[in-house]
Amino acid sequence: RVKEKWAATRAKYPPTTLALRHFDSTYSTQLGKLWPSIRVALLSERKYGALLNNFSFDDIPEDYEAQGCRDFIRDTDTEAQPRLQQESEFVAERESDCVSVQNADADSLQLPPLQLSRNVKCLVFPRGDITRFKPAKPDKSGLLSYYLMDAASVLPCLALNVEDGHNVLDLCAAPGGKTLALLQTHSLGFLCVNDASVSRTMRLKRVLRSYIPKDLLTDEKLRITSFDGTMWGEVETNVFNRVLVDVPCTTDRHSLLEDDNNIFNKSRVGERRRLPQLQTELLLAGILAACPGGEILYSTCTLCRSQNHSVVEQAIQLAQENHGIQLQVVDLRPLTHMFRKTFHFAPDLPLGEMVVPHLAANFGPIYMCKLRRLT
Ligand code: SAM
């Protein structure tokens, strides 16, 4: 009897199957011959990075180094610096990244090459090695020494290029991996952390308490809110030097591997279809929240074009038409060049950069696009 009831109410195809079908049809067109390899990687065990907590007293367990683990940021940084200047010059010859976007002008190309915070450190195992990190243990003051996350998720935080004293907004912050990476820079003047979900904001607060000393979590340094980020521009505009807009998306890896909380569940079709609209509104709110000269980093963990560069194009257009705000797309190729040995990047995207999963370096997907407010 029970079985019959199940048969009547259980979905014919689980959300993971629906996700795979959807990705097969859209990504085979969008990614062409790259898709079969990315597909295999997406369906295989992912790789993690260990974001080191430089507020913790504990050192990295020595056995990680003995196993060939390395900080991917420090390892590539020095080697790539001289090349970055050349890359910037090369940028001047590149076509516009987006039709409706002002080109990077000659003056902006004289800016120093991307300066990455030396304080952010993230350990990864070598290419092809999928050894797992052990869960971090609390140090003598109760703080955990590292946070496990997709190492590619650190890239948007590095690309944001926070400088000393900056006022920073993390618009969709929970559970807080990127917030932690931003805090590791030790450069923040004031940090505003927001997430629309109250339960996820609670989780974010727990994460912050487990990694960050209490004296850095005071009202003078940090504000944590649970607002609908799309409304941010109506409350606080032209304020932040840096804004991270890490939007909700189809979370491709999760959608392929977990039936729980899966956006491909039949009951969530409407929510899924509305994602590009929500993402555009969030990015526009982030643009409005930034000050003129400020920079905005848009990121997702999907390969989907309509949630990635189409959203950026749309938000740029709306910012210009409805708010008179001119934006410039910042070329992130110096960053991708720097980390090309750790991650696989999609070639020739029309706008932004994307880490694509690969069996030997199974990170991502992470899409990111950086905008600078000119007005
Ligand atoms: N940045 C986070 C991190 O690194 O841990 C991950 C963010 S996750 C990709 C997207 C987040 O957006 C979710 O936590 C979700 O609750 C939040 N969100 C969804 N709609 C939102 C909205 N309208 N305003 C603000 N946050 C929203």
Side-chain angles (χ1 to χ4, degrees):
R1 299 271 174 265
V2 174
K3 274 186 186 163
E4 271 169 33
K5 185 168 178 247
W6 278 358
T9 53
R10 202 176 48 188
K12 195 169 172 195
Y13 300 109
T16 43
T17 307
L18 297 176
L20 185 58
R21 282 187 187 172
H22 178 83
F23 293 156
D24 273 336
S25 69
T26 52
Y27 294 159
S28 54
T29 318
Q30 198 180 299
L31 298 163
K33 61 180 173 28
L34 295 178
W35 174 233
S37 312
I38 295 177
R39 185 185 194 271
V40 171
L42 270 176
L43 291 166
S44 308
E45 179 156 340
R46 74 185 313 171
K47 243 180 117 153
Y48 280 90
L51 174 74
L52 298 189
N53 183 16
N54 45 41
F55 298 105
S56 161
F57 287 104
D58 276 358
D59 290 331
I60 330 306
E62 275 173 19
D63 50 334
Y64 282 152
E65 282 177 15
Q67 290 173 68
C69 236
R70 63 188 178 91
D71 169 16
F72 82 84
I73 302 164
R74 195 189 50 195
D75 264 18
T76 40
D77 193 359
T78 40
E79 166 210 335
Q81 277 298 336
R83 286 173 181 270
L84 290 182
Q85 193 65 52
Q86 294 164 17
E87 286 269 323
S88 293
E89 285 157 15
F90 171 58
V91 173
E93 292 158 22
R94 195 190 185 193
E95 287 277 293
S96 153
D97 267 329
C98 170
V99 203
S100 55
V101 176
Q102 177 159 338
N103 283 337
D105 58 34
D107 283 345
S108 67
L109 293 172
Q110 301 311 313
L111 289 171
L114 200 61
Q115 299 292 323
L116 299 182
S117 170
R118 302 241 161 205
N119 297 322
V120 185
K121 299 184 178 81
C122 184
L123 295 187
V124 291
F125 282 98
R127 279 178 70 83
D129 180 342
I130 56 161
T131 306
R132 293 181 187 179
F133 291 98
K134 294 176 211 139
K137 292 193 189 123
D139 67 6
K140 61 184 181 194
S141 64
L143 297 179
L144 299 174
S145 54
Y146 54 84
Y147 181 85
L148 298 184
M149 64 196 290
D150 187 326
S153 291
V154 179
L155 297 182
C157 308
L158 293 174
L160 196 56
N161 208 13
V162 175
E163 290 170 19
D164 276 348
H166 268 168
N167 195 6
V168 178
L169 169 64
D170 189 352
L171 193 59
C172 309
K178 296 189 188 70
T179 312
L180 279 185
L182 291 172
L183 284 161
Q184 298 305 317
T185 62
H186 291 263
S187 297
L188 307 180
F190 189 79
L191 176 62
C192 240
V193 188
N194 179 69
D195 197 282
S197 155
V198 174
S199 59
R200 285 174 67 90
T201 306
M202 300 294 280
R203 191 169 151 207
L204 165 76
K205 285 182 181 170
R206 283 196 297 276
V207 168
L208 291 180
R209 280 197 297 267
S210 306
Y211 286 86
I212 309 296
K214 283 197 188 87
D215 58 334
L216 294 179
L217 300 178
T218 58
D219 293 348
E220 292 76 50
K221 299 196 164 81
L222 180 76
R223 192 170 83 204
I224 305 177
T225 51
S226 271
F227 297 144
D228 173 358
T230 63
M231 312 300 280
W232 202 278
E234 290 180 20
V235 184
E236 203 169 31
T237 51
N238 304 331
V239 170
F240 295 95
N241 305 100
R242 298 287 185 265
V243 181
L244 180 61
V245 186
D246 185 39
V247 293
C249 67
T250 45
T251 52
D252 295 0
R253 228 181 239 282
H254 177 87
S255 295
L256 282 175
L257 299 177
E258 300 280 339
D259 282 319
D260 276 354
N261 190 24
N262 190 315
I263 199 158
F264 283 85
N265 193 309
K266 280 251 157 63
S267 63
R268 297 180 68 185
V269 171
E271 185 189 343
R272 180 160 58 83
R273 294 213 175 117
R274 282 192 298 276
L275 275 176
Q277 175 67 27
L278 172 64
Q279 292 158 341
T280 308
E281 287 176 23
L282 284 166
L283 178 53
L284 188 59
I287 291 169
L288 296 176
C291 59
E295 294 179 346
I296 305 104
L297 198 297
Y298 176 77
S299 58
T300 74
C301 52
T302 176
L303 299 161
C304 178
R305 199 187 292 167
S306 64
Q307 297 176 61
N308 292 339
H309 81 253
S310 304
V311 166
V312 177
E313 275 178 341
Q314 180 72 6
I316 290 170
Q317 197 178 336
L318 290 173
Q320 201 166 326
E321 286 174 6
N322 298 348
H323 303 278
I325 294 175
Q326 300 278 341
L327 292 151
Q328 176 188 65
V329 176
V330 180
D331 196 317
L332 291 179
R333 281 179 303 168
L335 186 94
T336 59
H337 181 85
M338 192 180 261
F339 297 122
R340 69 196 183 287
K341 288 183 186 157
T342 305
F343 304 101
H344 280 249
F345 292 95
D348 308 323
L349 288 197
L351 195 60
E353 301 290 346
M354 184 161 69
V355 175
V356 294
H358 185 282
L359 275 182
N362 208 352
F363 302 110
I366 292 288
Y367 172 83
M368 57 192 166
C369 185
K370 184 171 175 177
L371 303 174
R372 181 178 298 132
R373 259 186 76 162
L374 299 177
T375 58

